[in-house]
Amino acid sequence: MEFITISFSLFILLSTLFLFKSSVAGRRKNLPLPPGTLGWPYIGETFQLYSQNPNVFFASKVKKYGSIFKTHVLGCRCVMISSPAAAKLVLVTKSHLFKPTFPASKERMLGKQAIFFHQGDYHSKLRRLVLRAFTPESIKNIIPDIESIAVDSLRSWENRLINTFQEMKTFTFNVALLSIFGKDEVLYREDLKRCYYILEKGYNSMPINLPGTLFHKSMKARRELAQILAKILSLRRETNKENHNDLLGSFMEEKEGLSDEQIADNIIGVIFAARDTTASVLTWILKYLAENPTVLQAVTDEQEGIMKGKDDKSLTWLDTKKMPITSRVIQETLRVASILSFTFREAVEDVEFEGYLIPKGWKVLPLFRNIHHSPENFTNPEKFDPSRFEVAPKPNTFMPFGNGTHACPGNELAKLEILVLLHHMTTKYRWSMVGPQNDIHYAPFALPQNGLPIRFYPKKMP
Ligand code: HEM
């Protein structure tokens, strides 16, 4: 009898839960989709997006439909969102309902087990290991080495016409290798560089893996990179048992149990995340400083002040905390340039949002650039004005490093290497831009026209 009563109660409970779930699901199904158009079958509105600056496409949609709208680009149905509250919901509060998503070819190139493509326990473990290697405590030890990379780079540009972005890529690549391998990689640096440069050429190519195609060469370079990494791993296992403070040391800790393949995928992933992003921000900073001589003077004065107050000329972590004007220039550059205009997520189930349905499987794109360029969030948003950061921005309106579970774990390192380079650059060098500078290129990060060619000179010392 007791058994029958328990079974009956369980049956009632489960039925109620089921009915509740289906009524919620039913209610969701009846919700309207966000406003907007889906364009032509299959190609959707891809042509409209790429026939102009993509930001013009986003801005005109926001003007027409408001902060949430639907579209269909690159074969995917998408919901684009540009309100700070919506971005917070997707990236933070309800992040479990929106998984990161990338085309399969990009996953193959970077490695399926890299941090970006995961959720849940495996992602949390990787994130803890990556964050540990990039805390202020860990990176402050490598300031002298970052400084010597910066000094060598600047010296190699003296009295030359340089392509700023290309040179910045070399600088940020060398800093990334330093933060990943410490000084262990010196032997392999040129091989790593050669393979990585071939790999990246295939990143935006058609994913056709036939001999002769960019994608094929790129996959070959990917395999060679994994072999070099395997050599570095075994060398460290054989010769060097002590604890290392770098990313490789963090990944190799025995109790963490990462396979060599997982380590390789994540190292290639971190190089990818660290290099072009930081290099394009640096390129924009040089452009904005050249266009705003008063700001350049204020930064130079601040950096000369740091140099004068020191007997020992090398920079310390504390010095980098005494650079408020330069730090605001970095913040304002991150806002105006918004080098990552948006990011991608995918709804893992039907989601109700602001009275609309976001159907399962649809892509969801938080539009960082629109949030950073909205007059509701920043007055006179197109103006480069670092002083606006004397007051903290409104919550969730400034997200150059993303937000929530996948927010950038390398942001402290990025800011540190930029400050170190700017210190030496503004105190010892001057530069002038060459050629037209009005266009923006997307490669895929936003970049000044032609990578910003400049002439670079040492200052005449008094
Ligand atoms: C100024 C330069 C940089 C910018 C603007 C930037 C921006 C971002 C953004 C917006 C995200 C989040 C993407 C998303 O939510 O979909 C991200 C993730 C990431 N970034 Fe950065 N980043 C920069 C430099 C770096 C550096 C120097 C490193 C490493 C040393 C790094 C490593 C990563 C990694 C590993 C992730 C993935 C985190 C995860 O999925 O949990 N980034 N970055």
Side-chain angles (χ1 to χ4, degrees):
M1 183 64 197
E2 200 181 331
F3 173 73
I4 294 174
T5 321
I6 292 173
S7 306
F8 184 69
S9 315
L10 250 170
F11 173 73
I12 297 286
L13 183 72
L14 288 175
S15 316
T16 320
L17 270 175
F18 177 74
L19 286 175
F20 176 71
K21 251 193 117 178
S22 19
S23 84
V24 171
R27 200 179 70 225
R28 282 197 198 130
K29 288 269 181 249
N30 291 330
L31 289 171
L33 290 169
T37 43
L38 295 177
W40 293 87
Y42 191 72
I43 54 168
E45 301 186 310
T46 311
F47 183 68
Q48 286 93 317
L49 173 66
Y50 285 107
S51 60
Q52 56 190 332
N53 169 345
N55 298 307
V56 174
F57 175 83
F58 300 140
S60 66
K61 291 278 185 187
V62 171
K63 201 162 164 205
K64 196 160 174 191
Y65 300 112
S67 65
I68 170 165
F69 61 90
K70 65 172 178 295
T71 178
H72 184 183
V73 290
L74 299 168
C76 304
R77 283 177 292 186
C78 310
V79 171
M80 301 197 171
I81 52 170
S82 66
S83 82
K88 183 176 176 202
L89 184 113
V90 171
L91 300 173
V92 187
T93 345
K94 295 268 161 75
S95 59
H96 59 288
L97 300 178
F98 299 97
K99 65 172 185 189
T101 165
F102 289 79
S105 58
K106 312 276 187 257
E107 275 191 32
R108 273 172 70 194
M109 222 167 251
L110 293 178
K112 281 188 170 30
Q113 312 203 54
I115 182 165
F116 325 98
F117 312 128
H118 293 271
Q119 299 260 78
D121 290 348
Y122 177 64
H123 175 257
S124 311
K125 170 158 128 174
L126 286 174
R127 208 171 153 79
R128 188 168 42 75
L129 298 178
V130 174
L131 279 168
R132 190 168 65 182
F134 296 128
T135 56
E137 276 313 308
S138 307
I139 57 177
K140 60 170 72 158
N141 300 322
I142 57 170
I143 297 179
D145 301 306
I146 298 181
E147 232 183 329
S148 76
I149 296 175
V151 170
D152 287 351
S153 302
L154 294 168
R155 205 169 283 144
S156 73
W157 309 345
E158 281 180 10
N159 301 313
R160 283 178 51 210
L161 169 65
I162 60 162
N163 180 300
T164 311
F165 182 55
Q166 292 307 325
E167 298 296 337
M168 292 300 182
K169 277 187 354 177
T170 306
F171 169 68
T172 54
F173 187 78
N174 288 339
V175 175
L177 292 193
L178 172 75
S179 68
I180 295 169
F181 303 107
K183 289 181 184 164
D184 275 9
E185 104 314 328
V186 200
L187 267 179
Y188 296 99
R189 185 183 289 180
E190 288 314 311
D191 282 343
L192 286 167
K193 204 174 276 177
R194 180 180 50 76
C195 293
Y196 189 80
Y197 276 60
I198 303 173
L199 175 72
E200 69 161 1
K201 283 207 183 100
Y203 190 75
N204 288 322
S205 65
M206 293 289 285
I208 303 167
N209 202 358
L210 289 175
T213 62
L214 272 180
F215 188 78
H216 184 78
K217 287 183 192 152
S218 192
M219 293 305 290
K220 208 169 143 217
R222 170 75 184 67
R223 284 193 295 278
E224 205 182 326
L225 261 181
Q227 284 161 6
I228 301 172
L229 292 171
K231 274 191 216 154
I232 298 178
L233 278 169
S234 67
L235 201 70
R236 197 177 269 201
R237 281 190 188 113
E238 278 163 27
T239 55
N240 229 328
K241 298 277 179 223
E242 88 242 34
N243 279 343
H244 288 266
N245 242 347
D246 47 38
L247 184 66
L248 186 61
S250 189
F251 283 157
M252 282 178 74
E253 267 198 16
E254 251 153 71
K255 63 177 177 350
E256 303 300 348
L258 289 185
S259 68
D260 286 9
E261 201 187 339
Q262 287 171 329
I263 295 179
D265 286 4
N266 281 287
I267 283 177
I268 295 171
V270 167
I271 297 176
F272 170 77
R275 194 193 64 168
D276 289 15
T277 46
T278 318
S280 51
V281 173
L282 272 163
T283 306
W284 282 108
I285 292 180
L286 259 67
K287 179 174 196 292
Y288 293 140
L289 288 179
E291 287 171 349
N292 294 275
T294 335
V295 179
L296 174 59
Q297 192 55 53
V299 171
T300 309
D301 291 347
E302 178 171 85
Q303 296 301 337
E304 281 176 350
I306 302 257
M307 210 165 63
K308 277 184 198 134
K310 293 167 66 67
D311 293 335
D312 173 8
K313 295 288 180 217
S314 55
L315 284 172
T316 63
W317 180 255
L318 203 67
D319 291 331
T320 65
K321 296 290 138 198
K322 292 182 197 147
M323 302 177 177
I325 299 175
T326 320
S327 298
R328 287 197 288 270
V329 166
I330 300 176
Q331 284 177 298
E332 180 65 342
T333 303
L334 288 165
R335 185 193 70 80
V336 183
S338 287
I339 56 139
L340 262 115
S341 299
F342 54 83
T343 189
F344 281 99
R345 296 289 187 270
E346 184 182 310
V348 295
E349 58 180 67
D350 285 352
V351 182
E352 179 180 347
F353 177 69
E354 288 183 357
Y356 296 116
L357 170 71
I358 303 181
K360 179 179 175 183
W362 281 43
K363 308 286 179 202
V364 180
L365 278 70
L367 303 178
F368 297 135
R369 173 178 273 265
N370 290 66
I371 296 174
H372 293 162
H373 282 245
S374 158
E376 284 172 28
N377 305 328
F378 296 95
T379 42
N380 206 353
E382 301 311 318
K383 185 166 184 251
F384 178 81
D385 176 11
S387 72
R388 70 173 80 241
F389 280 95
E390 282 165 17
V391 179
K394 290 184 227 157
N396 306 306
T397 58
F398 183 55
M399 286 173 281
F401 293 106
N403 201 356
T405 38
H406 287 272
C408 181
N411 75 88
E412 286 292 343
L413 177 66
K415 287 183 275 190
L416 177 66
E417 63 189 284
I418 295 174
L419 286 173
V420 171
L421 191 76
L422 286 180
H423 172 77
H424 290 279
M425 192 146 63
T426 55
T427 50
K428 297 181 203 134
Y429 295 92
R430 60 192 175 85
W431 62 97
S432 57
M433 297 190 288
V434 177
Q437 295 302 334
N438 297 328
D439 263 9
I440 300 183
H441 288 172
Y442 295 89
F445 305 116
L447 262 185
Q449 192 169 357
N450 300 324
L452 194 74
I454 58 168
R455 282 192 198 286
F456 199 76
Y457 311 94
K459 278 184 182 171
K460 288 196 179 68
M461 291 296 169

